[in-house]
Amino acid sequence: MSPGRPLVGVLALQGDFAAHRRMLEGVGADTREVRVVADLAGLDGLVIPGGESTTMTLGIEREGLAEPLRELGREGAPILGSCAGLILLDRDHLGLMDMRAERNAFGRQVRSFEADVDVRGLDGGPMRGVFIRAPWIAEHGPEVEIVGEVDGHAVAARQGSMLAVSFHSEIAGDDRLHRMFVGMCERARLAA
Amino acid sequence: MRDEATFRVKTGLAEMLKGGVIMDVVTPEQAKVAEDAGAAAVMALERVPADIRRDGGVARMSDPEMIAGIQSAVSIPVMAKARIGHFMEARVLEALEVDYVDESEVLTPADERNHIDKWDFKVPFVCGATNLGEALRRIGEGAAMIRSKGEAGTGDIVEAVRHMRQITGEIKRLSILGEDELASAAKDLAAPLSIVREVAEGGRLPVVLFCAGGIATPADAALMMALGAEGVFVGSGIFKSDDPPTRARAIVEATTHWQDAVRVADASRGLGAAMVSLESAKLEDGQLLAQRGW
């Protein structure tokens, strides 16, 4: 750990947490895998990666992580949820974003795809997203701002310091979303 | 622009399964038990390997009715097995929209010379391997995920350890070779030079590597993670044990916390008896499933 870099946790109960760590470290963050409550201490932000949302939900229950994760979000630490992570942020799970995710909304694996997504707030044109049995945001409250769509479905959203995307830019190799997120973590740390 | 079935999309699902446990199930009820225990995916098949071993006869793709029943019982990915080289079984599984096809040595091979041309499919494939050359040949044919073969249906971890150490050891050796030595290495591995070069540069397979074949306990799963597996398949080990839901949860927990022996110890308590096991070293050549395929 170096003094100038924000420390970003990556929930590592199951899923593509290693790909997120590589991405975060590439854009100037220190990272820590989070498996138990003690791993949350001192984090400037957290990524909830892709994976199986049921597996991750059961893991969160087993480890007693639900309330500590909510607390982290309420304290203002930025949280980025990708794919299963988007589902975990919704009302039916951690409830950190006022929205309802529809699981596997695009269909089974044979309907998985990659596409360009115009994410509002990101410079440099559309970003390539890999959608794996991906969810979309079926419905949301006024606090949630939809910042990206595919085929008319909401696939990227922001609410305060929460950021959720249906897709995997960490698989496509585009680091702009992670760069923006690490910027949010840096600002949150300086404000704290 | 929107593209389906790119290699990134195929390998992408395996990336999402990392750190997880994929469990063999033969009924929708077992699939639900697996999902409720935290399985990252289920493998739908008619008989678990231990029963295939006991019953003998030709082992084939499962009844589509059974696969559809499992698909409607759970929301996690559903995989299914096709016989080695049986591209028509694979077409059927693709039509059923299973999430991954396992071209598996656990079933009786349909073609002794050719594996399925996996590039020709939208559905991704996982294939077994006992060494690096075999893994890279499968990737050359389009496999988007590799698993060690181990010796399925035995509950004996020794073959899985051998295969995992073989694969990771050969990757380490490749990574110290010079560029001028890679063509000869590719010849020895009987694998495509382009993929050999990619492995030498990256120090890892270009796809996700899981372990399969012989996992019966939480400590077995943790051992394989420590040896470099990115996740585990458990076949007979769960539903042939005394208390499947408890053992399934314990193996999931040990796979997540493999670096913490205290957690693996906790997960290992009070599970009842493991599956009835067979010592691989005492099996005759004709009974070894890992020798199927090349």
Side-chain angles (χ1 to χ4, degrees):
Chain A
M1 197 161 47
S2 48
R5 293 160 65 101
L7 176 61
V8 180
V10 183
L11 191 66
L13 296 170
Q14 191 269 322
D16 77 327
F17 49 88
H20 280 282
R21 279 191 75 181
R22 278 195 296 276
M23 208 54 136
L24 291 164
E25 284 172 5
V27 297
D30 287 323
T31 63
R32 180 196 291 157
E33 293 183 357
V34 173
R35 293 188 177 81
V36 295
V37 174
D39 295 333
L40 292 173
L43 293 183
D44 299 311
L46 179 81
V47 172
I48 307 180
E52 276 311 309
S53 61
T54 42
T55 307
M56 287 161 65
T57 301
L58 290 165
I60 285 171
E61 268 176 37
R62 185 187 65 220
E63 306 300 333
L65 273 163
E67 203 41 49
L69 286 172
R70 289 190 189 107
E71 191 57 37
L72 184 77
R74 281 196 295 259
E75 284 168 1
I79 300 183
L80 166 64
S82 158
C83 194
L86 175 147
I87 295 169
L88 291 183
L89 288 173
D90 89 349
R91 261 179 230 137
D92 298 336
H93 297 82
L94 294 173
L96 283 164
M97 290 179 76
D98 184 19
M99 62 182 190
R100 188 176 63 76
E102 179 81 24
R103 289 186 61 203
N104 305 338
F106 287 96
R108 298 184 195 280
Q109 173 63 13
V110 289
R111 312 210 183 281
S112 291
F113 62 98
E114 44 182 282
D116 295 329
V117 191
D118 223 334
V119 180
R120 282 190 281 291
L122 276 191
D123 295 330
M127 80 182 316
R128 196 69 174 163
V130 178
F131 292 74
I132 305 291
R133 290 167 42 96
W136 65 48
I137 299 162
E139 177 260 308
H140 64 88
E143 301 287 298
V144 173
E145 183 196 0
I146 300 303
V147 295
E149 295 180 340
V150 161
D151 300 342
H153 301 293
V155 297
R158 265 191 89 152
Q159 179 179 352
S161 57
M162 304 292 141
L163 189 58
V165 294
S166 294
F167 53 85
H168 302 280
S169 54
E170 78 285 0
I171 299 281
D174 188 331
D175 66 9
R176 286 177 292 157
L177 188 74
H178 288 75
R179 198 177 289 282
M180 177 171 91
F181 177 70
V182 169
M184 288 164 65
C185 296
E186 267 168 347
R187 283 192 295 280
R189 183 170 65 140
L190 293 176
Chain B
M1 216 188 51
R2 183 178 164 137
D3 297 300
E4 292 185 345
T6 61
F7 197 57
R8 252 188 339 210
V9 165
K10 290 177 171 179
T11 55
L13 179 54
E15 291 285 334
M16 299 313 138
L17 296 171
K18 274 186 182 177
V21 182
I22 300 169
M23 302 182 191
D24 277 5
V25 296
V26 300
T27 62
E29 293 71 34
Q30 287 188 354
K32 196 73 195 121
V33 168
E35 183 175 59
D36 291 345
V42 290
M43 177 75 70
L45 71 176
E46 227 151 43
R47 292 177 288 169
V48 294
D51 288 339
I52 291 174
R53 227 173 242 298
R54 190 197 58 206
D55 299 346
V58 174
R60 308 181 179 91
M61 176 190 81
S62 298
D63 181 347
E65 186 76 17
M66 191 273 284
I67 294 170
I70 289 173
Q71 283 173 316
S72 51
V74 296
S75 64
I76 55 178
V78 175
M79 303 183 165
K81 290 183 193 286
R83 283 179 265 179
I84 290 174
H86 205 315
F87 55 86
M88 203 50 75
E89 284 188 346
R91 282 281 175 230
V92 170
L93 294 174
E94 181 177 54
L96 293 171
E97 300 196 354
V98 304
D99 294 295
Y100 243 91
V101 173
D102 183 0
E103 186 182 18
S104 177
E105 71 284 358
V106 168
L107 306 185
T108 312
D111 189 326
E112 293 181 329
R113 231 182 127 64
N114 306 292
H115 282 71
I116 297 169
D117 171 18
K118 294 167 273 288
W119 294 114
D120 200 31
F121 286 77
K122 282 182 76 174
V123 67
F125 282 75
V126 54
C127 290
T130 59
N131 57 51
L132 183 61
E134 195 174 5
L136 301 189
R137 286 192 290 279
R138 297 294 85 77
I139 295 166
E141 295 157 358
M145 179 179 187
I146 294 293
R147 54 172 176 76
S148 65
K149 284 182 176 172
E151 194 50 41
T154 59
D156 186 352
I157 199 69
V158 67
E159 294 301 310
V161 169
R162 185 202 314 282
H163 300 157
M164 192 59 65
R165 282 205 185 271
Q166 181 72 27
I167 292 168
T168 55
E170 286 178 293
I171 292 173
K172 282 180 211 153
R173 282 193 287 281
L174 263 194
S175 64
I176 58 169
L177 294 185
E179 176 64 31
D180 57 340
E181 296 171 296
L182 292 179
S184 163
K187 177 171 167 265
D188 293 342
L189 288 165
L193 175 57
S194 59
I195 306 176
V196 168
R197 187 175 284 127
E198 199 178 340
V199 173
E201 281 168 8
R204 59 188 304 280
L205 288 185
V207 303
V208 170
L209 173 64
F210 267 47
C211 165
I215 293 175
T217 69
D220 287 345
L223 171 70
M224 298 318 298
M225 294 298 285
L227 288 175
E230 297 178 298
V232 298
F233 285 86
V234 186
S236 321
I238 290 169
F239 288 99
K240 284 290 168 186
S241 73
D242 265 7
D243 183 353
T246 306
R247 185 165 294 261
R249 275 195 302 275
I251 292 177
V252 169
E253 192 172 341
T255 303
T256 295
H257 294 286
W258 62 271
Q259 293 165 96
D260 183 347
V262 173
R263 291 297 300 268
V264 178
D266 283 347
S268 306
R269 283 168 198 264
L271 303 182
M275 65 181 284
V276 174
S277 313
L278 291 169
E279 198 179 331
S280 315
K282 293 190 178 147
L283 293 176
E284 289 175 22
D285 262 9
Q287 298 174 297
L288 293 170
L289 303 178
Q291 291 178 353
R292 294 171 167 180
W294 56 279

